[in-house]
Amino acid sequence: MKENYNFYNIIKSLSYAMDLVSKTLVGHHKRTAYVSYRFGLKLGLDIKEMKKLIVASLIHDLGIFYLDQQYQDLKFDNESNYHAEVGYKLLEQNSFDPEFADIIKYHHHGYPNNPNQLSSIIHFADRMVVLILDDKSILNQVDHIKKVIENNKERFCPECFKIFSELIENEAFCLDIVSEEVISKTLDNFFEDIDWEIDLDELINVSKLISHITDFRSPFTAAHSQGIAAVAPVLAEKYNYSRSECKEIKAAAYLHDIGKLIVPTEILNKKGKPTKEEWNILKSHTYYTYQALSTSPKLNKIRNIAAYHHEKLDGTGYPFQIDEKKLSLSERIMAVADIFTAITEDRPYRKGMKKNQVEKILIEMSVSNKIDKDIVQTLLENYNEINQLRIERQKSASGYYQDFREKINKNQSDVSSFFQI
């Protein structure tokens, strides 16, 4: 039977992970999506436009993670925020709907320089939401929010400003904006009866985009998920998995580090052993991968394959301490694929290991009942084939990353020069 997945639930997973990146960012994208939704209703947008508006709102800042830009750097009146262009390029180059790419591109452009109606709505919602302080009652912030927005009203489309002036006077609307429960329920209810299913191939494309967002934060992780996405499905094939089962594992490989958005880049790039505090932050990423992918029961299988990649057969792994009684073959395959890819690829503190070193580590881990002996044996019996696939996939991914980085850096320099004129 053909398995279908809901596109909105995948985007929710990404949006959740994006909001983990800092304490000031928690809930930002969902709040922006909710305000945009309320504006869209008032403007009488049709279902198609509302779908695009909400989804684009949920991921409007996806380019910020490539730049590792601090959220407090997002100036209220700064159209040169280059993360919008980076987000546009990521979507444009990864077979994403071009309409979404355009919406993201212009979400920091104020009126009348914004050619996209949906971008104009997101721009207003985004600028309103960033004014909210979580350590103060929202009702005690209304006057300040109104004052700032009114002082910058020339930046916003007149229709949106009129709607804002009406909504901000409604206490329930203001309280809704800071209610996680209300926002989630409202957006979920909107999409409940909307058919937006994608198949496994489409899921893989979206998952690959997500892997770029998570991996591109560091040159040392830029090709990591790509390597696992090459290794894990091949191992699955050796166990006579069906094509669809192999695709599920491939999607899980692309998604396995989505929780790493919580890890600061200075830890990812550190040359040397992490401190205890840094290690605890690193370890938490699998927990957040699990939470991010818990948006739909249909995703549970892929979620578990992705999130359990640091669990061990003897129950000493993390974060759930699941043992061999509960770890499926697919989850065991992902764990071996992750370790193999991690020790064969270059890291900030060492070069990729040679075959004899890899064999020694994998055998020792299997003998001590950390990882599956049979899977290790299968990998070692097919070592050259699997490792060559990994090398080729990661080489291609690294080339794409370098090309993307050069284009982004050049364009960013051009944009900075433009805004200095």
Side-chain angles (χ1 to χ4, degrees):
M1 183 178 73
K2 183 179 178 181
E3 186 66 86
N4 289 308
Y5 302 87
N6 187 284
F7 180 68
Y8 166 66
N9 287 328
I10 306 300
I11 295 301
K12 270 208 309 183
S13 295
L14 175 57
S15 183
Y16 170 88
M18 287 167 60
D19 277 356
L20 294 173
V21 80
S22 78
K23 290 181 180 179
T24 59
L25 197 58
V26 174
H28 173 74
H29 292 91
K30 291 182 73 173
R31 287 178 180 177
T32 302
Y34 179 78
V35 175
S36 295
Y37 163 81
R38 293 293 297 268
F39 277 36
L41 288 180
K42 286 280 190 179
L43 289 167
L45 299 184
D46 62 27
I47 293 295
K48 181 180 178 181
E49 294 297 288
M50 289 289 284
K51 285 165 56 178
K52 289 187 292 187
L53 175 66
I54 295 171
V55 166
S57 297
L58 285 170
I59 59 173
H60 67 273
D61 284 332
L62 79 167
I64 201 172
F65 305 101
Y66 169 84
L67 296 171
D68 197 37
Q69 185 179 8
Q70 296 300 307
Y71 217 72
Q72 53 265 35
D73 291 340
L74 300 186
K75 306 301 183 185
F76 184 82
D77 59 352
N78 188 357
E79 288 186 357
S80 65
N81 273 310
Y82 200 61
H83 70 277
E85 185 71 21
V86 176
Y88 165 74
K89 291 292 184 185
L90 280 168
L91 295 177
E92 181 190 46
Q93 295 185 17
N94 284 278
S95 303
F96 216 76
D97 188 325
E99 290 186 72
F100 284 111
D102 284 336
I103 297 169
I104 298 296
K105 181 176 184 177
Y106 294 108
H107 82 269
H108 261 285
H109 285 248
Y111 182 84
N113 299 321
N114 197 324
N116 189 299
Q117 182 191 29
L118 301 186
S119 290
S120 293
I121 297 171
I122 295 173
H123 173 67
F124 200 130
D126 175 53
R127 295 300 85 199
M128 176 184 165
V129 167
V130 297
L131 295 172
I132 298 172
L133 302 175
D134 286 327
D135 59 354
K136 187 176 181 181
S137 167
I138 182 64
L139 297 182
N140 289 327
Q141 300 180 64
V142 169
D143 288 343
H144 173 70
I145 293 170
K146 286 167 59 178
K147 181 179 179 181
V148 176
I149 295 292
E150 287 169 0
N151 287 344
N152 292 271
K153 61 191 273 185
E154 73 280 355
R155 291 184 50 82
F156 304 117
C157 70
E159 289 179 298
C160 289
F161 183 79
K162 181 180 179 182
I163 292 170
F164 162 79
S165 299
E166 296 171 0
L167 289 176
I168 199 66
E169 298 297 336
N170 185 289
E171 288 90 347
F173 168 75
C174 297
L175 292 167
D176 285 347
I177 299 171
V178 293
S179 171
E180 165 76 19
E181 182 179 358
V182 168
I183 292 173
S184 295
K185 186 185 297 184
T186 300
L187 298 182
D188 289 351
N189 286 345
F190 174 80
F191 282 98
E192 185 175 12
D193 298 321
I194 293 176
D195 180 17
W196 206 352
E197 291 189 331
I198 57 175
D199 61 23
L200 260 173
D201 289 322
E202 292 169 317
L203 175 64
I204 286 172
N205 286 337
V206 178
S207 301
K208 188 175 181 179
L209 166 67
I210 293 173
S211 78
H212 288 326
I213 296 167
T214 56
D215 290 355
F216 275 20
R217 299 175 66 220
S218 166
F220 298 104
T221 62
H224 177 64
S225 296
Q226 304 290 321
I228 300 176
V231 172
V234 174
L235 283 172
E237 287 177 2
K238 305 298 181 185
Y239 286 88
N240 298 315
Y241 273 39
S242 66
R243 287 186 65 186
S244 63
E245 289 173 322
C246 289
K247 288 179 179 179
E248 287 176 337
I249 286 187
K250 189 173 185 177
Y254 284 137
L255 294 168
H256 83 288
D257 270 348
I258 188 173
K260 253 187 187 169
L261 288 177
I262 198 173
V263 182
T265 50
E266 56 265 27
I267 296 178
L268 295 175
N269 292 328
K270 184 174 181 178
K271 295 183 178 180
K273 188 177 180 181
T275 65
K276 181 181 178 181
E277 291 77 14
E278 291 169 339
W279 178 238
N280 284 334
I281 294 172
L282 277 166
K283 286 171 66 177
S284 69
H285 81 272
T286 47
Y287 171 83
Y288 289 109
T289 289
Y290 183 94
Q291 298 302 331
L293 298 176
S294 296
T295 55
S296 167
K298 283 190 175 182
L299 274 177
N300 286 356
K301 182 179 179 181
I302 288 174
R303 175 199 65 191
N304 293 350
I305 298 171
Y308 294 166
H309 65 276
H310 282 298
E311 302 293 340
K312 299 292 183 285
L313 298 182
D314 63 359
T316 62
Y318 59 85
F320 300 107
Q321 284 86 52
I322 299 171
D323 62 21
E324 58 188 321
K325 295 177 183 177
K326 295 184 179 179
L327 288 170
S328 69
L329 178 60
S330 297
E331 292 153 12
R332 298 176 188 215
I333 287 173
M334 186 62 67
V336 173
D338 180 68
I339 294 168
F340 173 76
T341 303
I343 61 180
T344 52
E345 67 189 4
D346 292 340
R347 289 294 174 100
Y349 47 87
R350 60 152 174 80
K351 297 292 289 182
M353 297 181 185
K354 302 298 182 183
K355 183 177 181 179
N356 62 327
Q357 296 173 292
V358 174
E359 289 178 335
K360 183 173 183 294
I361 289 173
L362 292 179
I363 290 173
E364 285 179 352
M365 291 187 72
S366 66
V367 169
S368 61
N369 201 36
K370 302 295 183 185
I371 54 179
D372 193 287
K373 292 180 182 178
D374 189 63
I375 297 172
V376 168
Q377 184 63 33
T378 299
L379 189 153
L380 296 180
E381 288 174 356
N382 298 274
Y383 187 97
N384 292 337
E385 172 198 349
I386 293 174
N387 194 44
Q388 188 58 39
L389 280 172
R390 177 198 65 79
I391 291 171
E392 291 173 359
R393 183 72 60 83
Q394 291 195 301
K395 183 178 179 180
S396 174
S398 295
Y400 172 73
Y401 167 77
Q402 291 298 332
D403 181 60
F404 184 85
R405 186 182 184 88
E406 288 172 7
K407 288 179 180 178
I408 290 300
N409 289 344
K410 180 182 183 302
N411 290 345
Q412 185 174 15
S413 176
D414 292 343
V415 169
S416 296
S417 298
F418 173 79
F419 278 97
Q420 289 170 5
I421 295 175

